[in-house]
Amino acid sequence: MEILKVEHLVKQYGKGDNAVLAVNDISFSVEQGEFVAIVGSSGSGKSTLLHLLGGVDRPTSGKVYIQGEDIYSLNSDKIAIFRRRQVGLIYQFYNLIPILNVKENITLPCELDGRTPDKKELCDLINTLGLKDRVSHLPNQLSGGQQQRVAIARALAMNPKMLFFDEPTSALDPEITAGILKLLRELANEKMTMVIVTHEIDFARNVADRVIFMDGGVIVEEGKPQDVIDNPKSERTKAFLQKMA
């Protein structure tokens, strides 16, 4: 079943001679339970696209449907509520509230939504993400990997329909990266719908159901990992993968 549909999405910054098309006429869809990895060079439009999908930024034109709802037909307040209830967006820099401890950071979106998290579910989530001994710690008392796990727990606490990750391992050392990728693999095995912007090509090859390669604000190539990564058709895709090897 289709959960996300993108139609002719465009995001332009600036005007006239200074105009930059960060996202240029992109269309695709994501099925329930599918794990889609978006790869490409820095500046290719990957993060901009993810922010448009998650309702963080408005497109210049085009539509984003989540479970059949055109999110940009809503006003800003309703978009924020819709995003909080339907989508978990995990950034590469965590965006934790510095004066709140781990537990408070995790439960904040639920409280903003006017509900109290189920205590058992919250406890299970904290234990699963290895944060049991850190619930009273502030963000500055946590490692980068722990902060990223708090961000993931915060998103999962809302029971979202899908998760969007923007380079979740870019600022982490190799050992911590391995732990985060293991967690993402487990979520993929549970058939959580996910779209992830990543530079981890081997991870995308081994875990993703589909890979999208972006360059210059457009989708150059998409398909199964073994097709896009191992047997790319486009010269632009080949050049990118050679640079990443």
Side-chain angles (χ1 to χ4, degrees):
M1 182 178 72
E2 187 178 83
I3 188 171
L4 172 69
K5 185 176 182 181
V6 180
E7 291 185 343
H8 303 293
L9 205 60
V10 174
K11 181 63 181 181
Q12 177 178 305
Y13 294 103
K15 295 180 180 180
D17 293 338
N18 295 321
V20 175
L21 278 173
V23 171
N24 186 7
D25 195 21
I26 282 183
S27 299
F28 68 97
S29 61
V30 176
E31 297 292 312
Q32 178 77 44
E34 189 176 17
F35 185 7
V36 178
I38 303 176
V39 301
S41 300
S42 177
S44 61
K46 309 184 302 298
S47 293
T48 299
L49 173 61
L50 202 71
H51 292 171
L52 295 174
L53 301 184
V56 176
D57 195 7
R58 281 187 175 271
T60 304
S61 61
K63 297 182 181 297
V64 175
Y65 296 93
I66 296 178
Q67 291 198 309
E69 179 88 45
D70 177 7
I71 64 173
Y72 290 109
S73 67
L74 306 174
N75 63 36
S76 297
D77 289 341
K78 289 184 177 179
I79 287 177
I81 294 170
F82 187 86
R83 182 175 69 242
R84 190 162 62 238
R85 293 176 178 174
Q86 301 287 337
V87 174
L89 181 54
I90 296 98
Y91 300 91
Q92 54 182 301
F93 298 115
Y94 324 129
N95 285 355
L96 302 181
I97 307 301
I99 61 172
L100 300 183
N101 65 29
V102 165
K103 184 178 179 180
E104 291 166 340
N105 264 287
I106 293 172
T107 59
L108 179 61
C110 294
E111 293 168 359
L112 290 174
D113 207 38
R115 61 186 180 88
T116 302
D118 180 275
K119 288 184 178 180
K120 184 181 183 306
E121 289 182 2
L122 179 61
C123 184
D124 289 344
L125 181 60
I126 287 171
N127 289 341
T128 298
L129 289 170
L131 296 168
K132 181 179 179 181
D133 298 329
R134 294 290 184 270
V135 289
S136 298
H137 287 60
L138 296 174
N140 65 4
Q141 297 172 311
L142 304 175
S143 69
Q146 289 167 343
Q147 291 185 55
Q148 186 63 287
R149 287 175 181 272
V150 174
I152 294 171
R154 179 180 57 189
L156 290 173
M158 289 296 292
N159 295 312
K161 297 295 186 293
M162 72 183 92
L163 294 174
F164 295 146
F165 292 88
D166 185 12
E167 296 279 13
T169 62
S170 66
L172 304 178
D173 65 40
E175 183 177 353
I176 296 174
T177 291
I180 296 298
L181 294 181
K182 180 176 181 291
L183 174 61
L184 296 182
R185 187 188 295 266
E186 290 168 355
L187 290 171
N189 290 339
E190 294 169 6
K191 292 301 178 183
M192 166 63 77
T193 306
M194 292 185 283
V195 179
I196 177 173
V197 169
T198 183
H199 61 279
E200 302 284 349
I201 301 301
D202 285 340
F203 175 74
R205 177 193 286 113
N206 295 327
V207 181
D209 298 303
R210 181 155 47 108
V211 172
I212 292 174
F213 168 64
M214 286 185 65
D215 188 37
V218 302
I219 293 177
V220 176
E221 195 165 349
E222 68 174 306
K224 295 180 178 179
Q226 57 266 37
D227 295 329
V228 175
I229 296 175
D230 296 328
N231 297 289
K233 297 180 177 62
S234 167
E235 292 301 321
R236 290 158 77 179
T237 312
K238 292 176 184 177
F240 166 74
L241 293 170
Q242 287 172 358
K243 185 173 65 176
M244 295 296 290

Tab-separated table of all heavy atoms in Angstrom, residues 173-231:
chain	number	residue	atom	x	y	z
A	173	ASP	N	31.639	8.524	15.232
A	173	ASP	CA	32.822	7.717	14.939
A	173	ASP	C	32.388	6.330	14.476
A	173	ASP	O	31.216	5.939	14.626
A	173	ASP	CB	33.759	7.647	16.148
A	173	ASP	CG	33.154	6.920	17.337
A	173	ASP	OD1	32.471	5.907	17.154
A	173	ASP	OD2	33.387	7.356	18.475
A	174	PRO	N	33.310	5.534	13.888
A	174	PRO	CA	32.939	4.248	13.287
A	174	PRO	C	32.238	3.285	14.231
A	174	PRO	O	31.281	2.599	13.832
A	174	PRO	CB	34.293	3.688	12.815
A	174	PRO	CG	35.125	4.900	12.561
A	174	PRO	CD	34.721	5.890	13.609
A	175	GLU	N	32.683	3.210	15.475
A	175	GLU	CA	32.068	2.260	16.408
A	175	GLU	C	30.619	2.635	16.705
A	175	GLU	O	29.720	1.778	16.704
A	175	GLU	CB	32.871	2.197	17.709
A	175	GLU	CG	32.329	1.169	18.700
A	175	GLU	CD	33.179	1.074	19.964
A	175	GLU	OE1	34.254	1.705	20.025
A	175	GLU	OE2	32.763	0.357	20.881
A	176	ILE	N	30.371	3.920	16.951
A	176	ILE	CA	29.017	4.380	17.236
A	176	ILE	C	28.154	4.281	15.975
A	176	ILE	O	26.976	3.914	16.035
A	176	ILE	CB	29.036	5.818	17.776
A	176	ILE	CG1	29.771	5.862	19.120
A	176	ILE	CG2	27.634	6.365	17.934
A	176	ILE	CD1	29.988	7.246	19.677
A	177	THR	N	28.741	4.579	14.827
A	177	THR	CA	28.029	4.435	13.559
A	177	THR	C	27.511	3.018	13.388
A	177	THR	O	26.358	2.798	12.982
A	177	THR	CB	28.953	4.800	12.383
A	177	THR	OG1	29.218	6.211	12.413
A	177	THR	CG2	28.304	4.456	11.045
A	178	ALA	N	28.337	2.037	13.706
A	178	ALA	CA	27.937	0.628	13.573
A	178	ALA	C	26.713	0.337	14.435
A	178	ALA	O	25.803	-0.391	14.010
A	178	ALA	CB	29.095	-0.282	13.964
A	179	GLY	N	26.666	0.926	15.637
A	179	GLY	CA	25.528	0.707	16.523
A	179	GLY	C	24.249	1.314	15.976
A	179	GLY	O	23.174	0.699	16.046
A	180	ILE	N	24.341	2.524	15.423
A	180	ILE	CA	23.163	3.180	14.857
A	180	ILE	C	22.674	2.418	13.619
A	180	ILE	O	21.465	2.211	13.435
A	180	ILE	CB	23.469	4.648	14.503
A	180	ILE	CG1	23.812	5.449	15.766
A	180	ILE	CG2	22.298	5.281	13.764
A	180	ILE	CD1	22.691	5.531	16.782
A	181	LEU	N	23.608	1.970	12.780
A	181	LEU	CA	23.212	1.220	11.587
A	181	LEU	C	22.564	-0.107	11.964
A	181	LEU	O	21.631	-0.566	11.296
A	181	LEU	CB	24.426	0.984	10.679
A	181	LEU	CG	25.047	2.236	10.051
A	181	LEU	CD1	26.219	1.867	9.156
A	181	LEU	CD2	24.003	3.032	9.265
A	182	LYS	N	23.036	-0.725	13.047
A	182	LYS	CA	22.421	-1.963	13.532
A	182	LYS	C	20.971	-1.706	13.939
A	182	LYS	O	20.062	-2.494	13.635
A	182	LYS	CB	23.218	-2.529	14.708
A	182	LYS	CG	22.665	-3.830	15.297
A	182	LYS	CD	23.584	-4.348	16.392
A	182	LYS	CE	23.068	-5.656	16.987
A	182	LYS	NZ	21.829	-5.442	17.765
A	183	LEU	N	20.749	-0.582	14.621
A	183	LEU	CA	19.397	-0.218	15.033
A	183	LEU	C	18.505	0.017	13.812
A	183	LEU	O	17.352	-0.439	13.770
A	183	LEU	CB	19.446	1.032	15.908
A	183	LEU	CG	18.107	1.625	16.319
A	183	LEU	CD1	17.296	0.626	17.133
A	183	LEU	CD2	18.324	2.902	17.126
A	184	LEU	N	19.025	0.707	12.813
A	184	LEU	CA	18.242	0.962	11.603
A	184	LEU	C	17.923	-0.341	10.881
A	184	LEU	O	16.823	-0.511	10.334
A	184	LEU	CB	19.001	1.906	10.669
A	184	LEU	CG	19.269	3.324	11.184
A	184	LEU	CD1	19.986	4.148	10.134
A	184	LEU	CD2	17.976	3.995	11.595
A	185	ARG	N	18.875	-1.272	10.885
A	185	ARG	CA	18.644	-2.574	10.264
A	185	ARG	C	17.498	-3.316	10.978
A	185	ARG	O	16.653	-3.942	10.342
A	185	ARG	CB	19.926	-3.412	10.308
A	185	ARG	CG	19.844	-4.724	9.526
A	185	ARG	CD	21.094	-5.555	9.796
A	185	ARG	NE	22.295	-4.905	9.293
A	185	ARG	CZ	22.815	-5.141	8.100
A	185	ARG	NH1	22.238	-6.004	7.296
A	185	ARG	NH2	23.921	-4.526	7.724
A	186	GLU	N	17.486	-3.205	12.313
A	186	GLU	CA	16.424	-3.853	13.090
A	186	GLU	C	15.064	-3.236	12.773
A	186	GLU	O	14.060	-3.941	12.642
A	186	GLU	CB	16.732	-3.741	14.588
A	186	GLU	CG	17.923	-4.591	15.028
A	186	GLU	CD	18.399	-4.255	16.439
A	186	GLU	OE1	17.860	-3.296	17.029
A	186	GLU	OE2	19.318	-4.944	16.918
A	187	LEU	N	15.020	-1.913	12.635
A	187	LEU	CA	13.773	-1.245	12.267
A	187	LEU	C	13.320	-1.670	10.872
A	187	LEU	O	12.118	-1.864	10.625
A	187	LEU	CB	13.950	0.278	12.323
A	187	LEU	CG	14.116	0.893	13.709
A	187	LEU	CD1	14.500	2.369	13.593
A	187	LEU	CD2	12.835	0.751	14.526
A	188	ALA	N	14.284	-1.824	9.970
A	188	ALA	CA	13.955	-2.275	8.615
A	188	ALA	C	13.384	-3.692	8.646
A	188	ALA	O	12.424	-4.012	7.929
A	188	ALA	CB	15.192	-2.222	7.720
A	189	ASN	N	13.967	-4.540	9.483
A	189	ASN	CA	13.474	-5.921	9.606
A	189	ASN	C	12.052	-5.961	10.158
A	189	ASN	O	11.292	-6.897	9.878
A	189	ASN	CB	14.404	-6.743	10.499
A	189	ASN	CG	15.739	-7.029	9.849
A	189	ASN	OD1	15.858	-6.975	8.619
A	189	ASN	ND2	16.750	-7.318	10.642
A	190	GLU	N	11.705	-4.945	10.962
A	190	GLU	CA	10.351	-4.853	11.516
A	190	GLU	C	9.384	-4.194	10.530
A	190	GLU	O	8.211	-3.985	10.852
A	190	GLU	CB	10.374	-4.057	12.818
A	190	GLU	CG	11.148	-4.750	13.943
A	190	GLU	CD	11.385	-3.844	15.143
A	190	GLU	OE1	10.842	-2.711	15.143
A	190	GLU	OE2	12.092	-4.273	16.065
A	191	LYS	N	9.882	-3.861	9.345
A	191	LYS	CA	9.081	-3.259	8.274
A	191	LYS	C	8.539	-1.875	8.639
A	191	LYS	O	7.430	-1.500	8.253
A	191	LYS	CB	7.939	-4.191	7.848
A	191	LYS	CG	8.410	-5.453	7.152
A	191	LYS	CD	9.217	-5.112	5.901
A	191	LYS	CE	9.758	-6.324	5.191
A	191	LYS	NZ	10.591	-5.964	4.010
A	192	MET	N	9.348	-1.129	9.374
A	192	MET	CA	9.046	0.291	9.574
A	192	MET	C	9.330	1.019	8.262
A	192	MET	O	10.386	0.825	7.654
A	192	MET	CB	9.913	0.871	10.691
A	192	MET	CG	9.925	2.385	10.772
A	192	MET	SD	8.337	3.153	11.143
A	192	MET	CE	8.230	2.836	12.918
A	193	THR	N	8.391	1.821	7.799
A	193	THR	CA	8.601	2.588	6.573
A	193	THR	C	9.644	3.665	6.849
A	193	THR	O	9.481	4.467	7.770
A	193	THR	CB	7.290	3.242	6.113
A	193	THR	OG1	6.276	2.248	6.005
A	193	THR	CG2	7.477	3.919	4.759
A	194	MET	N	10.708	3.683	6.050
A	194	MET	CA	11.793	4.628	6.292
A	194	MET	C	12.351	5.189	4.989
A	194	MET	O	12.478	4.459	4.000
A	194	MET	CB	12.926	3.953	7.080
A	194	MET	CG	12.575	3.591	8.497
A	194	MET	SD	14.012	2.939	9.426
A	194	MET	CE	14.113	1.285	8.761
A	195	VAL	N	12.684	6.461	5.037
A	195	VAL	CA	13.442	7.112	3.966
A	195	VAL	C	14.677	7.703	4.620
A	195	VAL	O	14.567	8.493	5.561
A	195	VAL	CB	12.623	8.212	3.262
A	195	VAL	CG1	13.471	8.873	2.168
A	195	VAL	CG2	11.336	7.644	2.672
A	196	ILE	N	15.841	7.319	4.148
A	196	ILE	CA	17.082	7.746	4.791
A	196	ILE	C	18.035	8.359	3.772
A	196	ILE	O	18.296	7.768	2.721
A	196	ILE	CB	17.764	6.562	5.523
A	196	ILE	CG1	19.103	6.979	6.136
A	196	ILE	CG2	17.927	5.362	4.615
A	196	ILE	CD1	19.733	5.918	7.011
A	197	VAL	N	18.492	9.567	4.071
A	197	VAL	CA	19.583	10.172	3.315
A	197	VAL	C	20.876	9.687	3.957
A	197	VAL	O	21.088	9.870	5.164
A	197	VAL	CB	19.506	11.716	3.372
A	197	VAL	CG1	20.788	12.337	2.821
A	197	VAL	CG2	18.305	12.214	2.597
A	198	THR	N	21.727	9.043	3.185
A	198	THR	CA	22.922	8.439	3.777
A	198	THR	C	24.095	8.441	2.814
A	198	THR	O	23.921	8.445	1.591
A	198	THR	CB	22.630	6.988	4.216
A	198	THR	OG1	23.784	6.431	4.847
A	198	THR	CG2	22.241	6.107	3.027
A	199	HIS	N	25.293	8.454	3.402
A	199	HIS	CA	26.514	8.281	2.617
A	199	HIS	C	27.091	6.885	2.831
A	199	HIS	O	28.166	6.568	2.318
A	199	HIS	CB	27.553	9.338	3.008
A	199	HIS	CG	27.976	9.256	4.445
A	199	HIS	ND1	27.217	9.792	5.464
A	199	HIS	CD2	29.041	8.679	5.043
A	199	HIS	CE1	27.815	9.547	6.624
A	199	HIS	NE2	28.921	8.879	6.398
A	200	GLU	N	26.379	6.051	3.610
A	200	GLU	CA	26.822	4.682	3.899
A	200	GLU	C	26.369	3.766	2.763
A	200	GLU	O	25.309	3.148	2.808
A	200	GLU	CB	26.255	4.213	5.232
A	200	GLU	CG	26.622	5.073	6.428
A	200	GLU	CD	28.061	4.853	6.883
A	200	GLU	OE1	28.690	3.895	6.405
A	200	GLU	OE2	28.547	5.634	7.720
A	201	ILE	N	27.182	3.675	1.726
A	201	ILE	CA	26.799	2.948	0.517
A	201	ILE	C	26.626	1.449	0.786
A	201	ILE	O	25.662	0.830	0.303
A	201	ILE	CB	27.834	3.166	-0.603
A	201	ILE	CG1	27.945	4.669	-0.928
A	201	ILE	CG2	27.435	2.384	-1.864
A	201	ILE	CD1	26.656	5.310	-1.370
A	202	ASP	N	27.521	0.844	1.550
A	202	ASP	CA	27.389	-0.585	1.841
A	202	ASP	C	26.108	-0.871	2.615
A	202	ASP	O	25.434	-1.883	2.383
A	202	ASP	CB	28.601	-1.090	2.636
A	202	ASP	CG	29.848	-1.238	1.777
A	202	ASP	OD1	29.686	-1.317	0.531
A	202	ASP	OD2	30.955	-1.273	2.331
A	203	PHE	N	25.779	0.007	3.544
A	203	PHE	CA	24.537	-0.144	4.304
A	203	PHE	C	23.330	-0.070	3.374
A	203	PHE	O	22.407	-0.888	3.459
A	203	PHE	CB	24.460	0.940	5.371
A	203	PHE	CG	23.162	0.946	6.144
A	203	PHE	CD1	22.906	-0.031	7.093
A	203	PHE	CD2	22.221	1.932	5.910
A	203	PHE	CE1	21.717	-0.021	7.802
A	203	PHE	CE2	21.028	1.936	6.623
A	203	PHE	CZ	20.779	0.957	7.571
A	204	ALA	N	23.328	0.902	2.467
A	204	ALA	CA	22.228	1.034	1.512
A	204	ALA	C	22.118	-0.214	0.642
A	204	ALA	O	21.015	-0.704	0.368
A	204	ALA	CB	22.437	2.273	0.648
A	205	ARG	N	23.248	-0.739	0.217
A	205	ARG	CA	23.257	-1.941	-0.618
A	205	ARG	C	22.646	-3.138	0.115
A	205	ARG	O	21.870	-3.907	-0.454
A	205	ARG	CB	24.682	-2.281	-1.055
A	205	ARG	CG	24.774	-3.573	-1.862
A	205	ARG	CD	26.203	-4.050	-2.006
A	205	ARG	NE	26.957	-3.233	-2.951
A	205	ARG	CZ	27.975	-2.445	-2.612
A	205	ARG	NH1	28.341	-2.343	-1.330
A	205	ARG	NH2	28.617	-1.747	-3.524
A	206	ASN	N	22.989	-3.279	1.395
A	206	ASN	CA	22.621	-4.489	2.133
A	206	ASN	C	21.246	-4.431	2.783
A	206	ASN	O	20.658	-5.480	3.075
A	206	ASN	CB	23.672	-4.773	3.212
A	206	ASN	CG	25.027	-5.110	2.630
A	206	ASN	OD1	25.109	-5.716	1.557
A	206	ASN	ND2	26.088	-4.718	3.307
A	207	VAL	N	20.737	-3.222	3.038
A	207	VAL	CA	19.514	-3.106	3.839
A	207	VAL	C	18.345	-2.490	3.067
A	207	VAL	O	17.192	-2.896	3.263
A	207	VAL	CB	19.788	-2.290	5.124
A	207	VAL	CG1	18.535	-2.186	5.983
A	207	VAL	CG2	20.913	-2.932	5.932
A	208	ALA	N	18.602	-1.528	2.204
A	208	ALA	CA	17.513	-0.806	1.541
A	208	ALA	C	16.755	-1.697	0.557
A	208	ALA	O	17.328	-2.595	-0.073
A	208	ALA	CB	18.066	0.418	0.810
A	209	ASP	N	15.464	-1.433	0.437
A	209	ASP	CA	14.664	-2.077	-0.601
A	209	ASP	C	14.860	-1.373	-1.937
A	209	ASP	O	14.776	-1.994	-2.993
A	209	ASP	CB	13.172	-2.028	-0.233
A	209	ASP	CG	12.862	-2.782	1.044
A	209	ASP	OD1	13.174	-3.991	1.098
A	209	ASP	OD2	12.330	-2.175	1.988
A	210	ARG	N	15.120	-0.065	-1.862
A	210	ARG	CA	15.284	0.727	-3.075
A	210	ARG	C	16.279	1.840	-2.806
A	210	ARG	O	16.336	2.374	-1.691
A	210	ARG	CB	13.933	1.323	-3.503
A	210	ARG	CG	13.959	2.166	-4.769
A	210	ARG	CD	12.581	2.192	-5.440
A	210	ARG	NE	11.520	2.467	-4.505
A	210	ARG	CZ	10.839	3.627	-4.450
A	210	ARG	NH1	11.134	4.608	-5.282
A	210	ARG	NH2	9.869	3.801	-3.579
A	211	VAL	N	17.052	2.173	-3.814
A	211	VAL	CA	18.034	3.250	-3.713
A	211	VAL	C	17.704	4.314	-4.755
A	211	VAL	O	17.417	4.002	-5.914
A	211	VAL	CB	19.471	2.732	-3.933
A	211	VAL	CG1	20.462	3.891	-4.020
A	211	VAL	CG2	19.880	1.780	-2.818
A	212	ILE	N	17.726	5.570	-4.303
A	212	ILE	CA	17.548	6.709	-5.200
A	212	ILE	C	18.851	7.493	-5.228
A	212	ILE	O	19.366	7.881	-4.179
A	212	ILE	CB	16.403	7.616	-4.709
A	212	ILE	CG1	15.054	6.913	-4.842
A	212	ILE	CG2	16.388	8.940	-5.485
A	212	ILE	CD1	13.889	7.684	-4.258
A	213	PHE	N	19.394	7.692	-6.427
A	213	PHE	CA	20.599	8.516	-6.564
A	213	PHE	C	20.203	9.886	-7.106
A	213	PHE	O	19.566	9.995	-8.154
A	213	PHE	CB	21.618	7.870	-7.505
A	213	PHE	CG	22.739	8.796	-7.896
A	213	PHE	CD1	23.621	9.278	-6.945
A	213	PHE	CD2	22.901	9.215	-9.217
A	213	PHE	CE1	24.652	10.152	-7.284
A	213	PHE	CE2	23.920	10.077	-9.576
A	213	PHE	CZ	24.796	10.549	-8.603
A	214	MET	N	20.561	10.937	-6.343
A	214	MET	CA	20.266	12.306	-6.750
A	214	MET	C	21.532	13.046	-7.152
A	214	MET	O	22.595	12.830	-6.581
A	214	MET	CB	19.585	13.067	-5.605
A	214	MET	CG	18.146	12.682	-5.361
A	214	MET	SD	17.377	13.748	-4.089
A	214	MET	CE	17.401	15.363	-4.916
A	215	ASP	N	21.382	13.938	-8.109
A	215	ASP	CA	22.477	14.813	-8.500
A	215	ASP	C	21.866	16.061	-9.120
A	215	ASP	O	20.949	15.967	-9.943
A	215	ASP	CB	23.405	14.118	-9.509
A	215	ASP	CG	24.663	14.922	-9.796
A	215	ASP	OD1	25.191	15.553	-8.858
A	215	ASP	OD2	25.119	14.931	-10.956
A	216	GLY	N	22.332	17.236	-8.712
A	216	GLY	CA	21.828	18.480	-9.277
A	216	GLY	C	20.351	18.706	-9.055
A	216	GLY	O	19.681	19.337	-9.885
A	217	GLY	N	19.812	18.182	-7.951
A	217	GLY	CA	18.412	18.419	-7.623
A	217	GLY	C	17.422	17.510	-8.311
A	217	GLY	O	16.209	17.694	-8.160
A	218	VAL	N	17.906	16.524	-9.060
A	218	VAL	CA	17.002	15.599	-9.756
A	218	VAL	C	17.338	14.155	-9.390
A	218	VAL	O	18.439	13.856	-8.921
A	218	VAL	CB	17.078	15.765	-11.296
A	218	VAL	CG1	16.750	17.189	-11.707
A	218	VAL	CG2	18.455	15.368	-11.821
A	219	ILE	N	16.375	13.272	-9.604
A	219	ILE	CA	16.630	11.840	-9.467
A	219	ILE	C	17.246	11.349	-10.762
A	219	ILE	O	16.610	11.386	-11.826
A	219	ILE	CB	15.331	11.059	-9.162
A	219	ILE	CG1	14.803	11.444	-7.780
A	219	ILE	CG2	15.588	9.558	-9.237
A	219	ILE	CD1	13.480	10.778	-7.422
A	220	VAL	N	18.490	10.931	-10.686
A	220	VAL	CA	19.201	10.459	-11.868
A	220	VAL	C	18.890	8.996	-12.125
A	220	VAL	O	18.723	8.562	-13.272
A	220	VAL	CB	20.723	10.666	-11.697
A	220	VAL	CG1	21.492	10.078	-12.880
A	220	VAL	CG2	21.043	12.146	-11.541
A	221	GLU	N	18.794	8.233	-11.039
A	221	GLU	CA	18.610	6.785	-11.179
A	221	GLU	C	17.974	6.243	-9.900
A	221	GLU	O	18.276	6.702	-8.796
A	221	GLU	CB	19.968	6.121	-11.418
A	221	GLU	CG	19.902	4.707	-11.914
A	221	GLU	CD	21.253	4.225	-12.477
A	221	GLU	OE1	22.162	5.066	-12.662
A	221	GLU	OE2	21.368	3.024	-12.715
A	222	GLU	N	17.083	5.280	-10.028
A	222	GLU	CA	16.512	4.628	-8.857
A	222	GLU	C	16.159	3.185	-9.194
A	222	GLU	O	15.919	2.833	-10.351
A	222	GLU	CB	15.272	5.370	-8.351
A	222	GLU	CG	14.065	5.334	-9.246
A	222	GLU	CD	12.849	5.969	-8.588
A	222	GLU	OE1	12.507	5.551	-7.472
A	222	GLU	OE2	12.259	6.876	-9.202
A	223	GLY	N	16.169	2.348	-8.174
A	223	GLY	CA	15.857	0.938	-8.378
A	223	GLY	C	16.377	0.113	-7.215
A	223	GLY	O	16.735	0.642	-6.154
A	224	LYS	N	16.427	-1.179	-7.394
A	224	LYS	CA	16.954	-2.062	-6.365
A	224	LYS	C	18.438	-1.771	-6.143
A	224	LYS	O	19.142	-1.362	-7.086
A	224	LYS	CB	16.755	-3.520	-6.774
A	224	LYS	CG	15.303	-3.954	-6.862
A	224	LYS	CD	15.179	-5.412	-7.268
A	224	LYS	CE	13.717	-5.835	-7.312
A	224	LYS	NZ	13.557	-7.248	-7.734
A	225	PRO	N	18.933	-1.980	-4.918
A	225	PRO	CA	20.338	-1.671	-4.630
A	225	PRO	C	21.323	-2.355	-5.577
A	225	PRO	O	22.308	-1.733	-6.002
A	225	PRO	CB	20.518	-2.177	-3.189
A	225	PRO	CG	19.161	-2.116	-2.598
A	225	PRO	CD	18.207	-2.431	-3.706
A	226	GLN	N	21.045	-3.605	-5.917
A	226	GLN	CA	21.973	-4.311	-6.798
A	226	GLN	C	22.013	-3.720	-8.201
A	226	GLN	O	23.000	-3.889	-8.929
A	226	GLN	CB	21.632	-5.808	-6.869
A	226	GLN	CG	20.222	-6.135	-7.313
A	226	GLN	CD	19.273	-6.328	-6.156
A	226	GLN	OE1	19.368	-5.634	-5.146
A	226	GLN	NE2	18.362	-7.286	-6.293
A	227	ASP	N	20.956	-3.015	-8.571
A	227	ASP	CA	20.936	-2.357	-9.884
A	227	ASP	C	21.629	-0.994	-9.824
A	227	ASP	O	22.532	-0.707	-10.614
A	227	ASP	CB	19.493	-2.188	-10.375
A	227	ASP	CG	18.808	-3.517	-10.646
A	227	ASP	OD1	19.513	-4.471	-11.019
A	227	ASP	OD2	17.580	-3.603	-10.460
A	228	VAL	N	21.219	-0.163	-8.869
A	228	VAL	CA	21.739	1.206	-8.817
A	228	VAL	C	23.188	1.240	-8.338
A	228	VAL	O	24.016	1.986	-8.877
A	228	VAL	CB	20.861	2.085	-7.904
A	228	VAL	CG1	21.464	3.489	-7.755
A	228	VAL	CG2	19.451	2.180	-8.449
A	229	ILE	N	23.508	0.436	-7.313
A	229	ILE	CA	24.854	0.484	-6.731
A	229	ILE	C	25.837	-0.437	-7.456
A	229	ILE	O	26.978	-0.048	-7.728
A	229	ILE	CB	24.797	0.136	-5.227
A	229	ILE	CG1	23.995	1.203	-4.477
A	229	ILE	CG2	26.207	0.025	-4.636
A	229	ILE	CD1	23.779	0.910	-3.009
A	230	ASP	N	25.405	-1.632	-7.760
A	230	ASP	CA	26.323	-2.605	-8.360
A	230	ASP	C	26.352	-2.555	-9.881
A	230	ASP	O	27.358	-2.917	-10.498
A	230	ASP	CB	25.957	-4.022	-7.899
A	230	ASP	CG	26.132	-4.193	-6.401
A	230	ASP	OD1	27.034	-3.542	-5.847
A	230	ASP	OD2	25.367	-4.955	-5.776
A	231	ASN	N	25.248	-2.123	-10.494
A	231	ASN	CA	25.186	-2.075	-11.964
A	231	ASN	C	24.517	-0.782	-12.434
A	231	ASN	O	23.496	-0.817	-13.129
A	231	ASN	CB	24.408	-3.288	-12.495
A	231	ASN	CG	25.080	-4.600	-12.169
A	231	ASN	OD1	26.119	-4.931	-12.725
A	231	ASN	ND2	24.478	-5.350	-11.257
